């Protein structure tokens, strides 16, 4: 039961940066001492930064080693951290148990695989949630077993697999389309809604997305900027914006989104013209837009703010006629908002 | 960090039966072995049944003792389980750590207090979330310390206190008014909505409530039964129903709620007539009812089903004009629904 509770905590931690590591999966790793004290909990929260296993071993090194982890090693540097741990572990982790939501990778890229690092640092036990679905990265589990490390896999496997949906979607189909909506408690969704923590999350997500797709109605009513000003760390780039509108009236070009440098803004008049066949796309809109795109949507993310719409008239328009059903995967508090993910 | 993660797990477990133990607080308790293995996790889920500490020690006894816990002892019998553990612990728990979301009670009622049981079974350590707010039950923490047991209190104190809101409300003001609403993803809330697990929860809640308050409009449109047919274990009693209606038209008496035996149905034409000053009342309704009652509402519970309203016209009526703001306390998946609690 202890390992299930701790794996649940890893899963929860990984969801906090769900989609932000794309095209990589969201993965979390925990390191336990021989007495099952939690020494580290880390997630892989951005591509081109160290995997969760490396970050967690780094944190655990500091808890176990009489000499501190060298401060000069940037925590975001994949190679430097990997190599330091491989050379300097000095048997520190021999009584440790690692929990990982995903089988450690076995794929040689810019750095050698995590499975090879674990082979070298030799923890006592590795507990795995889901097996690696990617052909090129699988085999980590077998590698650890051959090295004589005790391996237990399939702990909360279903929940760990759910965590991988954006990654497996993008990997297997070449596209992952996320529909995102922000609502208030009463279901209203016009105007600015989300709390600060939610905005930071959304802006971080935009730094990873290929296209941001939005309805012409939202552009006209909300006059959005659609940039990444709240991203952490600060981010200069902008994702491309695609506006879906049936109207042939031109847009007021003083709406801020049109005036950001280095961004492409496309206007589409038909669903078929939308770039929904490639990459990670975030579609922000209301239920009517979801209805139009329902066949192409892979996941749904609702940010629900704890406010009400005030005394303005409430008009949600026609209800969506949806042929498909979304199932809740995960829910989390984020400041004054509640985020809920559905697939 | 281990104890915080495990306390978080206790808190989550206790929320699953939030309000169901009223007039007692929702409390969860975990027992860890000397090696921090989780031996037990239990919640106090109903008044007049054993406290979480007794249930958890019972479960841990079975994991530690060479002789099994006697099957003849009904797990719902407060006295029998308390007395068995006090007499037969045989030092089994001497290396154990207990985590409890609330300070163990120090109040002599039908059974002696939990603090006295812990004094006798002598775990190595007791980790406490929130201190007991009730004057008559406090002092458990001091009692344990005097007995030489290591005590750590204040672990995730804020979250553990949030868990106590229904209890402290009822205890300090003599009344706890919970506003409950079931909605779909698109914000619509007419008709039958909740999934089976949600219905079971709602029916269990009705077995504890003093009054169920509902708007005349809901009675006319939904023609509800408002009984406890899904309660677990099966429950014969019915809570009283109070209908708030501005209309002076009489109700169709074939609506099922009017035909349950042993129930009182009152009709009120003004908010001031509602019995909102005593006991645990559940108010089920839409946002307009919440607006009328906002000053009297202590907590808000939203059951959100993962469905949409279909293609019928969506009319949510006027938005509520709320002067107060609800903050999210907890969110949990329950079958196909997501429950969110606000205060």
């Amino acid at each position: 039961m202890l390992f299930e509770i701790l794996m649940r905590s890893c899963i929860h931690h990984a969801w906090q940066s769900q989609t932000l590591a794309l095209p990589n999966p969201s993965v979390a790793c925990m390191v336990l001492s021989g007495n099952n004290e939690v020494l580290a909990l880390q997630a892989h929260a951005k591509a081109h930064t160290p995997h969760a296993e490396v970050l967690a071993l780094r944190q655990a090194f500091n808890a176990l080693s009489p000499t501190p982890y060298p401060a000069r090693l940037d925590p975001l540097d994949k190679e430097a951290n990997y190599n330091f741990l491989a050379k300097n572990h000095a048997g520190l982790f021999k009584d440790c148990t690692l929990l990982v939501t995903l089988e450690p990778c076995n794929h040689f890229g810019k750095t050698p695989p995590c499975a090879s690092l674990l082979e070298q640092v030799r923890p006592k036990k590795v507990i795995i949630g889901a097996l690696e679905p990617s052909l090129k990265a699988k085999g980590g589990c077998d590698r650890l077993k051959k090295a004589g490390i005790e391996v237990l896999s399939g702990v909360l496997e279903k929940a760990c697999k759910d965590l991988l949906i954006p990654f497996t979607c993008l990997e297997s189909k070449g596209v992952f389309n996320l529909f995102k909506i922000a609502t208030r408690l009463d279901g209203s969704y016009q105007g600015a809604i989300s709390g600060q923590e939610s905005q930071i999350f959304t802006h971080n997500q935009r730094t990873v997305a290929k296209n941001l797709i939005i309805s012409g109605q939202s552009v006209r009513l909300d006059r959005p900027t659609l940039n990444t000003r709240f991203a952490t760390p600060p981010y200069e780039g902008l994702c491309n914006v695609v506006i879906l509108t049936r109207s042939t009236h031109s847009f007021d070009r003083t709406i801020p989104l049109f005036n950001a440098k280095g961004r492409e803004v496309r206007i589409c008049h038909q669903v078929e013209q939308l770039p929904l066949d490639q990459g990670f796309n975030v579609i922000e809109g209301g239920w009517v837009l979801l209805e139009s795109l329902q066949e192409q949507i892979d996941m749904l993310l609702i940010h629900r703010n704890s406010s009400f719409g005030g005394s303005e008239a409430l008009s949600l328009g026609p209800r969506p006629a949806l042929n498909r059903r979304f199932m809740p995967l995960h829910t989390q508090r984020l400041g004054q908002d509640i985020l809920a993910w559905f697939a």
Side-chain angles (χ1 to χ4, degrees), chain A:
Chain A
M1 181 142 78
L2 177 69
F3 294 141
E4 291 194 359
I5 291 171
L6 297 178
M7 186 64 88
R8 179 75 59 201
S9 180
C10 289
I11 292 168
H12 186 82
H13 194 66
W15 273 101
Q16 290 177 350
S17 48
Q18 180 60 283
T19 70
L20 305 185
L22 285 172
N24 293 348
S26 284
V27 178
C29 177
M30 189 182 273
V31 181
L32 306 180
S33 72
N35 193 31
N36 291 330
E37 284 292 336
V38 179
L39 303 177
L41 172 58
Q42 293 289 333
H44 177 59
K46 194 154 188 63
H48 311 299
T49 67
H51 284 185
E53 295 91 327
V54 174
L55 291 172
L57 287 171
R58 181 186 156 116
Q59 189 184 355
F61 184 100
N62 259 328
L64 292 169
S65 170
T67 57
Y69 199 93
R72 67 185 158 77
L73 293 186
D74 179 356
L76 301 181
D77 186 327
K78 277 183 85 164
E79 265 181 288
N81 287 289
Y82 187 105
N83 292 334
F84 178 84
L85 287 162
K87 277 183 206 148
N88 299 282
H89 63 85
L92 273 179
F93 304 111
K94 69 176 167 36
D95 299 323
C96 289
T97 296
L98 263 79
L99 287 102
V100 207
T101 56
L102 174 65
E103 182 182 7
C105 69
N106 196 32
H107 165 246
F108 281 81
K110 199 178 171 192
T111 51
C114 288
S116 158
L117 178 61
L118 295 181
E119 221 179 2
Q120 295 171 73
V121 308
R122 297 196 66 77
K124 190 176 140 203
K125 193 170 181 175
V126 176
I127 297 174
I128 295 169
L131 292 180
E132 171 66 55
S134 163
L135 266 178
K136 69 175 184 194
K138 74 192 318 177
C141 190
D142 287 343
R143 187 180 190 131
L144 298 178
K145 283 180 188 162
K146 275 183 198 141
I149 296 167
E150 190 185 339
V151 176
L152 178 65
S153 66
V155 173
L156 301 186
E157 188 177 13
K158 165 73 172 65
C160 287
K161 277 186 175 172
D162 285 348
L163 190 54
L164 297 175
I165 292 176
F167 164 73
T168 48
C169 229
L170 191 56
E171 169 118 334
S172 62
K173 301 193 302 173
V175 63
F176 172 63
N177 293 322
L178 176 73
F179 192 89
K180 183 227 148 186
I181 185 168
T183 80
R184 300 187 190 84
L185 287 187
D186 57 9
S188 64
Y189 56 81
Q190 287 88 353
I193 293 176
S194 296
Q196 198 183 6
E197 289 89 341
S198 261
Q199 282 186 306
I200 292 170
F201 185 87
T202 295
H203 286 218
N204 283 334
Q205 203 169 42
R206 287 179 187 159
T207 69
V208 188
K210 184 177 169 71
N211 295 295
L212 185 58
I213 297 169
I214 183 170
S215 74
Q217 199 193 13
S218 295
V219 171
R220 288 191 172 91
L221 288 175
D222 297 342
R223 302 181 61 89
T225 307
L226 299 181
N227 66 7
T228 53
R229 62 195 179 282
F230 300 129
T232 53
Y235 179 80
E236 293 295 317
L238 287 173
C239 62
N240 295 323
V241 170
V242 183
I243 302 171
L244 177 67
T245 179
R246 294 219 165 74
S247 155
T248 52
H249 286 94
S250 60
F251 285 93
D252 172 359
R253 294 285 161 161
T254 67
I255 293 172
L257 80 90
F258 292 107
N259 299 301
K261 280 181 188 147
R263 142 178 292 168
E264 186 193 325
V265 180
R266 274 173 60 195
I267 294 171
C268 292
H269 293 287
Q270 287 180 322
V271 167
E272 295 71 25
Q273 296 170 336
L274 291 175
L276 290 173
D277 56 346
Q278 212 190 345
F280 167 38
N281 301 304
V282 177
I283 301 101
E284 297 194 8
W287 301 120
V288 178
L289 184 60
L290 175 61
E291 184 185 340
S292 310
L293 305 182
Q294 57 182 303
E295 298 304 326
Q296 279 84 26
I297 298 302
D298 300 301
M299 274 176 77
L300 171 63
L301 167 61
I302 306 180
H303 291 241
R304 188 167 52 162
N305 188 261
S306 306
S307 59
F308 291 88
S311 54
E312 313 144 49
L314 179 60
S315 149
L316 298 195
R319 287 193 201 175
L322 285 162
N323 303 319
R324 47 181 297 198
R325 191 167 172 95
F326 290 93
M327 295 298 296
L329 295 181
H330 185 76
T331 175
Q332 68 205 79
R333 268 176 60 192
L334 186 61
Q336 296 181 3
D337 295 355
I338 293 174
L339 267 57
W341 300 82
F342 302 81

